Amino acid sequence: MASSIALATLGLTKPKESNRPEISFAAKDTDVVEWKGDILAVGVTEKDMEKDDNSKFKNPILQKLDLQLGGLLFEASSEEDFSGKAGQSLVLRLPAGLIGSKRVGLIGLAAEASLPSVPYRSLGEAVAAAAKSSQASSAAVTLASPEAISAKQKPSVAAAIATGVTLGTFEDNRFKSESKKLTLRSVDIIGLGSGAENDDKLQYAGYVSSGIILGRELVNAPANVLTPGALAEEAKKIASQYPRVFELKILDAEQCKELKMGAFLGVAAASANPPYFIDLVYSTMSRESKTSLALVGKGLTFDSGGYNLKTGPNSRIELMKNDMAGAAALLGAAKALGQMTIRGVRVHFIIAACENMISGSGMRPGDILTASNGKTIEVNNTDAEGRLTLADAFVYACNQGVEKMVDLATLTGACITALGPSVAGVFTPNDDIAKEVLGAAEVSGEKLWRMPMEESYWNSMKSGVADMINTGPSQGGAITAALFLKQFVDEKVKWAHIDVAGPVLDDKNLATGFGVSTMVEWVLRGRHVPV
């Protein structure tokens, strides 16, 4: 491990302590009218809001609530034209003594979704918003039609709601001079069963949510605070927090030079902030089990574009602090997994952390870099730098004897052009690992789509003076980027590349934590044991 890690102090900016939600969740079978607390939220679909011949609710739970409220719920929903459409919400403050809750809310719930967890996570986020506006410290969530969910799915639905509540409550105010105190402390999930399985699912949701929040904070942090050294320090925090399952190796520039990581060091050469190569290893290996995996995350803490400087109004250079979102997702997944015990598995979380800047010592267009596997790369565009850092990271990972490898990288604008801002692209020559990753995403609720690996496009990536160039024509840019990465993957290793350039930020340019939950699911595949 590097003996000392250099940290920047530009602008004298230091983040305040994170204001992370501390909410206790419980699965209960309490009668909704008897539950006592600040706000009772009911997830309803348009079907649940249908009226009978007497212009009253058909739904039994809504009938029961409305009877206790003297028709107030029906009257308010009619006056507010609340129909139960996804995104609608209605919150009423109640006179004392009608039911146990001080407020009741109706929240529109999508009846169907391609990813089953999505509407319930959205429900949880809406509950968090209602709790914030009313400064509630306690809340309960139920569904108007819980019988529509199978007994097998109910624990997962409860977990999705809990995840939504936690993430909806979270606000990243570390860089604001003033911030509001979070008030929500307890949430009961009613009518979706109770017992050990529900408790385990809720605990698991808490682990994953903590990882997503870490991922969001890392991406939101500005580049003058989250330098390569600071990213390495985050890995050290995780290793020290969960020493039972983690070991850590951090290499400095000299150590990377010894491993002949010319591609990675070429990108890092222009920055005053030194690079660090991070290998955070989760291990519970036994003699009987030999599952070894690698997760690799692009870790550019800032990307200026280098001498191919990002310019113009559409360059989004001000957002290039997010070019380490793949690395952030890995550390978030590591934090979540550190709270669990997974039998007989070894996972390398690998990040080649650096900045892509401009200086007299920086790489120039036309330079030739030599990667650690001996392959040479003509740099025809210094703004196609992430794939250069990943090249050496892949060689390192394959040398650790891993069987499968997945990388997450904000790699190309071309993937955003192809799939839009909400869907990540999956590139792999292996059908088995494609099914695994897409299956994990279906459980997590994150949107992924498999893209082609058109081998004929590789002809456009050949150089006259080196083995390859680092970027091809604009057409099919996400595909040629994946084909470039493939040159550094051992043929024995099953590998998938996930281009997350679009969904790592929301429409307000805030971090989403995309990738954390899918990577946790992919590692686990049903083997997690909460501890």
Side-chain angles (χ1 to χ4, degrees):
M1 183 185 297
S3 57
S4 62
I5 293 178
L7 300 178
T9 57
L10 178 65
L12 303 180
T13 300
K14 292 183 179 180
K16 294 186 296 185
E17 285 294 319
S18 174
N19 192 20
R20 295 173 182 172
E22 296 181 0
I23 305 170
S24 63
F25 290 90
K28 296 183 177 180
D29 292 317
T30 308
D31 190 317
V32 291
V33 299
E34 295 179 0
W35 180 83
K36 294 182 179 181
D38 292 326
I39 183 168
L40 169 68
V42 185
V44 297
T45 64
E46 291 183 79
K47 184 178 180 180
D48 294 328
M49 294 301 295
E50 290 178 354
K51 303 174 179 64
D52 61 19
D53 294 337
N54 298 317
S55 295
K56 298 297 182 182
F57 291 121
K58 286 184 179 180
N59 180 272
I61 289 180
L62 296 182
Q63 277 184 3
K64 185 174 184 177
L65 274 172
D66 200 41
L67 181 63
Q68 290 293 120
L69 298 177
L72 184 61
L73 191 61
F74 182 85
E75 180 182 342
S77 63
S78 298
E79 288 181 356
E80 298 292 331
D81 198 25
F82 180 88
S83 62
K85 291 180 180 179
Q88 285 187 320
S89 62
L90 171 68
V91 178
L92 303 177
R93 177 159 181 98
L94 305 175
L98 293 182
I99 61 174
S101 179
K102 296 177 183 178
R103 291 176 178 82
V104 64
L106 299 181
I107 296 173
L109 182 65
E112 296 180 3
S114 57
L115 298 173
S117 65
V118 171
Y120 301 107
R121 180 163 155 175
S122 297
L123 171 62
E125 291 172 349
V127 171
K132 280 182 186 178
S133 64
S134 60
Q135 296 186 318
S137 63
S138 59
V141 189
T142 190
L143 301 179
S145 298
E147 71 281 354
I149 302 169
S150 69
K152 183 179 179 181
Q153 288 296 318
K154 283 181 178 179
S156 296
V157 169
I161 293 171
T163 300
V165 171
T166 303
L167 299 181
T169 303
F170 170 69
E171 293 181 7
D172 192 351
N173 293 318
R174 294 169 299 151
F175 299 99
K176 294 181 178 180
S177 57
E178 296 182 4
S179 59
K180 294 180 180 180
K181 188 175 181 180
L182 301 180
T183 60
L184 189 59
R185 289 290 178 263
S186 66
V187 176
D188 293 334
I189 299 177
I190 299 173
L192 293 174
S194 58
E197 184 178 2
N198 287 66
D199 292 342
D200 286 348
K201 282 286 188 179
L202 291 176
Q203 187 180 43
Y204 172 72
Y207 296 157
V208 176
S209 295
S210 70
I212 293 172
I213 288 172
L214 173 61
R216 289 182 176 184
E217 289 181 332
L218 293 176
V219 176
N220 284 337
N224 63 320
V225 170
L226 193 80
T227 61
L231 200 60
E233 285 291 343
E234 290 294 333
K236 287 178 67 175
K237 288 180 185 177
I238 294 172
S240 62
Q241 191 171 5
Y242 309 107
R244 176 180 54 85
V245 292
F246 278 116
E247 54 192 67
L248 176 64
K249 180 187 293 184
I250 297 177
L251 307 179
D252 60 22
E254 284 302 313
Q255 292 168 308
C256 291
K257 188 175 180 179
E258 291 175 8
L259 294 177
K260 301 181 179 180
M261 294 183 177
F264 170 45
L265 293 175
V267 175
S271 178
N273 290 312
Y276 293 96
F277 191 94
I278 303 163
D279 182 12
L280 178 64
V281 186
Y282 181 104
S283 182
T284 58
M285 292 288 279
S286 63
R287 293 180 181 178
E288 295 77 19
S289 180
K290 300 180 180 180
T291 302
S292 185
L293 310 172
L295 295 177
V296 182
K298 179 181 173 183
L300 269 292
T301 58
F302 188 76
D303 175 24
S304 71
Y307 278 101
N308 291 105
L309 182 68
K310 296 178 185 290
T311 58
N314 298 320
S315 71
R316 293 166 66 88
I317 191 172
E318 72 280 3
L319 299 179
M320 286 302 106
K321 65 179 184 178
N322 82 344
D323 216 14
M324 40 60 67
L330 260 60
L331 292 179
K335 180 177 179 63
L337 291 165
Q339 299 168 75
M340 312 174 199
T341 297
I342 315 169
R343 306 300 180 191
V345 67
R346 185 175 180 87
V347 188
H348 291 263
F349 297 85
I350 296 172
I351 301 165
C354 66
E355 289 182 321
N356 185 26
M357 301 295 283
I358 300 173
S359 76
S361 62
M363 67 176 179
R364 296 146 295 209
D367 284 356
I368 295 176
L369 307 179
T370 303
S372 48
N373 63 349
K375 293 187 177 182
T376 56
I377 307 158
E378 180 186 0
V379 180
N380 65 343
N381 190 325
T382 60
D383 196 22
E385 84 301 325
R387 63 198 70 183
L388 299 174
T389 66
L390 292 172
D392 281 328
F394 282 12
V395 174
Y396 176 92
C398 291
N399 287 340
Q400 307 309 306
V402 301
E403 302 161 37
K404 301 176 183 179
M405 176 170 65
V406 174
D407 78 87
L408 288 88
T410 48
L411 206 63
T412 67
C415 198
I416 304 176
T417 300
L419 296 176
S422 301
V423 184
V426 179
F427 300 80
T428 176
N430 186 277
D431 291 342
D432 291 338
I433 199 168
K435 290 177 182 177
E436 291 176 8
V437 170
L438 293 171
E442 185 173 353
V443 174
S444 74
E446 295 183 323
K447 296 178 181 179
L448 272 61
W449 191 263
R450 189 176 183 183
M451 300 286 279
M453 294 278 286
E454 179 52 55
E455 289 290 342
S456 66
Y457 291 2
W458 182 244
N459 291 327
S460 68
M461 299 291 288
K462 294 180 180 178
S463 167
V465 293
D467 293 330
M468 67 194 81
I469 54 178
N470 71 322
T471 185
S474 59
Q475 300 92 337
I479 298 174
T480 53
L483 292 172
F484 178 92
L485 295 178
K486 185 185 174 190
Q487 310 309 307
F488 302 91
V489 181
D490 191 298
E491 291 182 356
K492 297 178 182 178
V493 176
K494 295 180 179 180
W495 158 73
H497 158 59
I498 307 179
D499 193 328
V500 297
V504 296
L505 296 181
D506 64 16
D507 56 4
K508 296 179 181 178
N509 293 326
L510 293 174
T512 62
F514 188 93
V516 173
S517 53
T518 296
M519 289 301 93
V520 172
E521 287 288 342
W522 179 69
V523 171
L524 297 180
R525 301 308 291 167
R527 292 176 298 173
H528 80 275
V529 181
V531 293

